[in-house]
Amino acid sequence: MDLELAGEELRSVLNRLRRAQGQIAGVIRMIEEGRDCEAVVTQLAAVSRALDKAGFAIIATGLQKCIAEGQTPDGEDMRKRLEKLFLSLA
């Protein structure tokens, strides 16, 4: 399944990933500065959520495309592939 996102979908996913990238840089600085463990873990959780949301958006777009265009070349196999993708983010 190729990654083909429309303009707005692409911008949304890229914005989420850039935000996560900034959060990761912030977590690295926090660790280097010896910041409070709770604050570091809170930021790590925020990064994790941002990455999950980006991944779910990509999967949802792929699923929508498959349904809208009737792209189920191998039927059951496509379902298993999508299930595997969802589980990889769980």
Side-chain angles (χ1 to χ4, degrees):
M1 189 170 18
D2 293 331
L3 178 61
E4 295 179 22
L5 299 175
E8 184 57 37
E9 295 162 340
L10 180 60
R11 277 192 294 278
S12 176
V13 168
L14 290 175
N15 285 340
R16 286 182 192 277
L17 292 174
R18 286 186 182 108
R19 188 169 31 250
Q21 185 178 32
Q23 289 173 308
I24 290 170
V27 169
I28 291 169
R29 275 192 307 277
M30 292 172 76
I31 292 171
E32 290 173 342
E33 295 169 358
R35 298 277 299 272
D36 177 63
C37 178
E38 186 175 344
V40 172
V41 171
T42 299
Q43 286 304 308
L44 282 174
V47 170
S48 179
R49 283 189 304 274
L51 292 173
D52 285 346
K53 286 181 180 182
F56 285 131
I58 291 169
I59 292 171
T61 300
L63 179 59
Q64 181 181 9
K65 180 179 178 181
C66 289
I67 291 170
E69 296 178 8
Q71 289 186 353
T72 53
D74 25 355
E76 181 68 18
D77 186 53
M78 178 61 75
R79 188 196 66 77
K80 286 182 181 179
R81 288 169 54 196
L82 288 170
E83 182 180 334
K84 183 178 178 182
L85 287 172
F86 275 114
L87 290 174
S88 70
L89 292 173

